[in-house]
Amino acid sequence: MEQRLEGILNNYLQNEGNVISILQDIENEFGYLPEDAISWISDRLDVPPARFYGIATFYSQFHLKPRGKHCITACTGTACHVKGSEWLISSLTSELHLLPDEDTTEDRKFTVEKVNCLGACSIAPVVVIDKEVYGKMSSDRLMKLVKKLEKKESEKEKA
Amino acid sequence: MSTSSVEIKVCLGTSGNAAGGEEVLRLFRHYVFDRAVEARIGTRCEFRKVGCRGFCSKDVLVDVIINGSKTTYQSVKPIMVERIVDDHIVGGGPIPEWMAGDEYTSFHSKQYKIILGPCGEIDPENIDDYIRMNGYRAARKAVTKMTPDGVIDVVTQSGLRGRGGSGFSTGEKWRICRGQKNDTRYIIGNVGEVNRALAEGNPHAIIEGLLIGGYAIGAQKGYLYIRERYHLSVERLRTALDQARDKGFIGKDIFGSGFDFNIEFSFGTESFICGEETALMESIEGKRAMPRYRPPFPAEKGLWGMPTVINNAETFSNIPLIIGMGADWFSSIGTAESKGTKVFTLSGKVKNNGLVEIPMGMPLREIVYSIGGGIAGNRKLKAVQVGGPSGGIIPESMIDMGLDYESLRKVGSIVGSGGMVVFDDEDCIVSVTKFFVEFLQRESCGECTPCRIGTKRMLELLIKITDGTGEIEDLDTLNRLSGIMTASSLCGLGRTASNPFITSFNHFRDEYLAHIRDKKCPAGVCPALVVFMVVPEKCKGCGLCRKACPAGAVTGEIKKAHDINQELCIKCGACYKVCKLKAIKKQ
Ligand SMILES: Cc1cc2nc3c(=O)[nH]c(=O)nc-3n(C[C@H](O)[C@H](O)[C@H](O)COP(=O)(O)O)c2cc1C
Ligand code: FES
């Protein structure tokens, strides 16, 4: 971990970064913001951890808890909402057995998140699965994609 | 360009990618190579990835241009590529059934694409394509032949106003900033969600505009502020910036004039408030994106306390055109007060969804019916919401109004982000309003009380109304809250947050009253106020609804009338949508 953080720190020092860019780097590196990482960085920079947490809890892109291996992001912007994104999300949560206030499955394989308009409204509803953008999504197609991922994961486990 | 040529253009914007554009392009390359096409037809084939041309609902769009004559194919799937190569490129016979039809023509014919024009024509990852279209010529002219004040004069005369929301004169803003005594000044390009197609399809236009603006106000440094999540936009802008640097258009001693200018990225998050200019600057400084008090305005005291100009990316893309073609040319487009064009994202219940660019002042009707092709499924138009979440809801009866800053302000809306969502008679206006307020409440940064508490209370009341427990007095409270928020919120978010309620209440009062007094949702959307039922006489027992129901609420045997268990029904309307016999009614 320290080695990876060292890299982030160097990047910050070289490119005149700021608290947000450090957190973005940590999030990209670890998939979330581990408490240890924040303590480490805050020690090294002599910036109180509260500065980091203040930012981390303000912006919805940061996560204090580990996230699933696969991230399914459903756009809930206006255009997608009108085309039924709500039902996509409810079918996802029921397929993955998520409780109302949960966004990550217990086995940490999947995270379901909502996001503001992704700027691709003309192909609404939009769903992003692991950075791949899918337009005109339907509940059926989404379930197929999720089942495919689930199958891949369980095969990996067996192997 | 030689007269004997073949060019293949594949749309690779976000939507083109999502529809499989990369694979389509790869297959074109593959078949052309595999079948030795170039040798057989005796000419080179050029492949070009181009940005979004707006007609995303029919992606992947592919242009095949043989000796200057262009054929556009729509909804191209990887399996179709082989035949296009064989029949058309080698055989010389286009394939009529795959060609883009009347929709594609009518979608484009009413538009006026001065900004989006190059998207879909040029390769956004190749600066030479942009230069061939006179790219960076305006910047050269501005930096080497014009004084900064001369540039500001031209921009002012052109009548260009900000495309990001407020509609403030761009030239004026620049003049105020230039007039400050400080030596250090900054200029920021605000790249939001509607600017995505622009950033992906013609990134150099934004960079060139920023460069000219930097020269005009005397800034040494510019920022491109972009949401980190817009991966493709970031990538294209980064490539463009690197290429511009290599050519010496960005950096030291630009065009040998002694003018130094650098551009840096700053990555934001997709929080709505990050688009607000003062919150955005806080975010660049690495703080929580909370708006600042005004005055002082950013042009006087902005980023790191220095005079700062912040403009929308679309505003910047207009600059090279204005400098290149002149203020008179630009001000000949549009209305008396609103010059030039505006990009809107047309979405919702119209047939053709997409990105459209229209001359300011075009009647809303023309956008919905000529460009948008009318309402999908031949339903009835109910309303159009213009300006993003805090825009206003415009009823069908007012659809002949023109789209420009003044007319929109008159009906309680804004140009805002250029969002345009069309609703039909199956959409519930109260529920739509609730949706917008929910968004604004979630995105309120919490700094000032009217917005933080106001949006929350508004949302509670709207939930109450859609749940069927609303009272008439709630409407008074909503109106009072709206007034307070508009008058006393700190930033634009709170000040415009009541637009959706005010406009929808003014035009759809009956619908509010139906929810409150009659406990009915006329559009049949609000779950608490609607019941789905099978009409036994019409039901043939095909079983489609049973399969579609996510809650297992529909039961019945094949070929016998089905039934819906009201206890299990979650009112999602899935059965209603799949039934081809209209055998499900909502009440
Ligand atoms: C809540 C809120 C969100 C905004 N979001 C954006 C945005 O995404 N993009 C943008 O250019 N302007 C946005 N604005 C407007 C900016 O504050 C600012 O006025 C604009 O960037 C100035 O550029 P312009 O003069 O070229 O319009 C927003 C304003 C508010 C109040
Ligand atoms: S609303 Fe989903 S992409 Fe714009």
Side-chain angles (χ1 to χ4, degrees), chain B residues 412-430:
Chain B
S413 188
I414 48 173
V415 172
S417 65
M420 188 181 287
V421 191
V422 178
F423 299 105
D424 68 14
D425 52 357
E426 292 206 302
D427 291 308
C428 165
I429 291 295
V430 185

Side-chain angles (χ1 to χ4, degrees), chain B residues 505-526:
Chain B
F505 181 67
N506 282 343
H507 302 301
F508 295 92
R509 198 173 295 231
D510 289 347
E511 215 167 313
Y512 278 93
L513 291 177
H515 281 77
I516 296 173
R517 241 192 242 142
D518 315 335
K519 309 294 172 207
K520 281 215 170 88
C521 174
V525 173
C526 298

Side-chain angles (χ1 to χ4, degrees), chain B residues 160-170 173-174 188-195 225 227 230 271-280 291 294 309-316 390 405 416-417 439-440 443 491-496:
Chain B
L160 175 66
R161 296 166 65 177
R163 301 299 194 233
S166 51
F168 193 78
S169 157
T170 305
K173 197 190 270 187
W174 291 10
I188 305 173
N190 190 352
V191 190
E193 70 265 7
V194 264
N195 305 131
Y225 185 83
R227 318 298 182 265
Y230 300 171
S271 311
F272 186 50
I273 195 68
C274 284
E276 199 279 337
E277 53 191 15
T278 57
L280 186 156
R294 265 165 296 201
V309 157
I310 167 159
N311 279 125
N312 174 264
E314 186 183 334
T315 311
F316 279 120
S390 46
Y405 296 105
S417 65
F439 171 82
L440 294 163
E443 297 294 325
C491 85
L493 196 154
R495 279 199 296 266
T496 56

Side-chain angles (χ1 to χ4, degrees), chain B residues 256-571:
Chain B
S257 64
F259 170 56
D260 300 340
F261 185 67
N262 227 319
I263 297 181
E264 220 181 79
F265 279 99
S266 183
F267 294 113
T269 80
E270 68 266 33
S271 311
F272 186 50
I273 195 68
C274 284
E276 199 279 337
E277 53 191 15
T278 57
L280 186 156
M281 291 186 294
E282 291 284 300
S283 160
I284 294 185
E285 293 178 13
K287 304 185 209 139
R288 291 162 77 110
M290 298 241 203
R292 300 175 182 170
Y293 289 91
R294 265 165 296 201
F297 288 93
E300 302 152 359
K301 202 160 177 287
L303 190 62
W304 316 109
M306 296 298 157
T308 304
V309 157
I310 167 159
N311 279 125
N312 174 264
E314 186 183 334
T315 311
F316 279 120
S317 321
N318 277 296
I319 301 293
L321 298 169
I322 291 169
I323 298 297
M325 322 248 283
D328 290 343
W329 166 80
F330 187 81
S331 61
S332 71
I333 310 166
T335 67
E337 302 285 331
S338 307
K339 302 297 187 193
T341 63
K342 177 78 193 94
V343 176
F344 286 97
T345 39
L346 181 58
S347 63
K349 303 292 178 65
V350 276
K351 283 199 187 108
N352 307 331
N353 279 211
L355 205 63
V356 305
E357 181 179 351
I358 51 155
M360 287 275 191
M362 182 186 258
L364 189 48
R365 175 184 298 281
E366 240 172 276
I367 303 183
V368 173
Y369 287 100
S370 303
I371 299 176
I375 310 301
N378 284 323
R379 300 212 63 96
K380 213 175 138 320
L381 169 68
K382 184 169 190 173
V384 185
Q385 207 264 1
V386 182
S390 46
I393 295 173
I394 300 168
E396 196 264 346
S397 58
M398 289 166 75
I399 163 171
D400 285 308
M401 66 170 285
L403 284 168
D404 53 77
Y405 296 105
E406 277 65 38
S407 314
L408 279 168
R409 181 165 309 152
K410 250 185 247 153
V411 300
S413 188
I414 48 173
V415 172
S417 65
M420 188 181 287
V421 191
V422 178
F423 299 105
D424 68 14
D425 52 357
E426 292 206 302
D427 291 308
C428 165
I429 291 295
V430 185
S431 163
V432 161
T433 306
K434 182 179 75 179
F435 170 79
F436 289 125
V437 174
E438 199 176 348
F439 171 82
L440 294 163
Q441 189 270 324
R442 197 170 63 232
E443 297 294 325
S444 167
C445 74
E447 186 174 4
C448 73
T449 318
C451 174
R452 182 182 66 241
I453 310 278
T455 49
K456 185 85 183 161
R457 290 290 99 86
M458 265 188 128
L459 178 60
E460 285 165 0
L461 291 170
L462 288 167
I463 291 177
K464 195 173 152 201
I465 294 175
T466 51
D467 274 352
T469 51
E471 295 155 81
I472 289 293
E473 298 80 61
D474 294 340
L475 293 173
D476 295 334
T477 317
L478 279 165
N479 273 311
R480 212 175 57 241
L481 278 172
S482 300
I484 296 171
M485 285 159 65
T486 309
S488 56
S489 292
L490 175 58
C491 85
L493 196 154
R495 279 199 296 266
T496 56
S498 46
N499 280 347
F501 171 72
I502 296 172
T503 50
S504 66
F505 181 67
N506 282 343
H507 302 301
F508 295 92
R509 198 173 295 231
D510 289 347
E511 215 167 313
Y512 278 93
L513 291 177
H515 281 77
I516 296 173
R517 241 192 242 142
D518 315 335
K519 309 294 172 207
K520 281 215 170 88
C521 174
V525 173
C526 298
L529 303 176
V530 62
V531 187
F532 287 90
M533 279 184 293
V534 177
V535 190
E537 308 84 67
K538 286 190 183 168
C539 180
K540 295 240 164 74
C542 69
L544 272 182
C545 56
R546 186 161 33 86
K547 290 200 196 99
C549 178
V554 186
T555 49
E557 283 170 46
I558 282 294
K559 297 212 174 132
K560 289 203 182 123
H562 281 43
D563 190 33
I564 299 173
N565 181 340
Q566 298 301 336
E567 308 248 299
L568 294 177
C569 175
I570 56 167
K571 324 272 174 89

Side-chain angles (χ1 to χ4, degrees), chain A residues 135-151:
Chain A
K136 296 192 215 162
M137 187 52 97
S138 68
S139 196
D140 279 354
R141 192 165 146 231
L142 183 57
M143 285 309 109
K144 270 191 204 132
L145 288 164
V146 171
K147 292 218 168 87
K148 219 164 97 188
L149 282 177
E150 279 176 329
K151 204 168 142 218

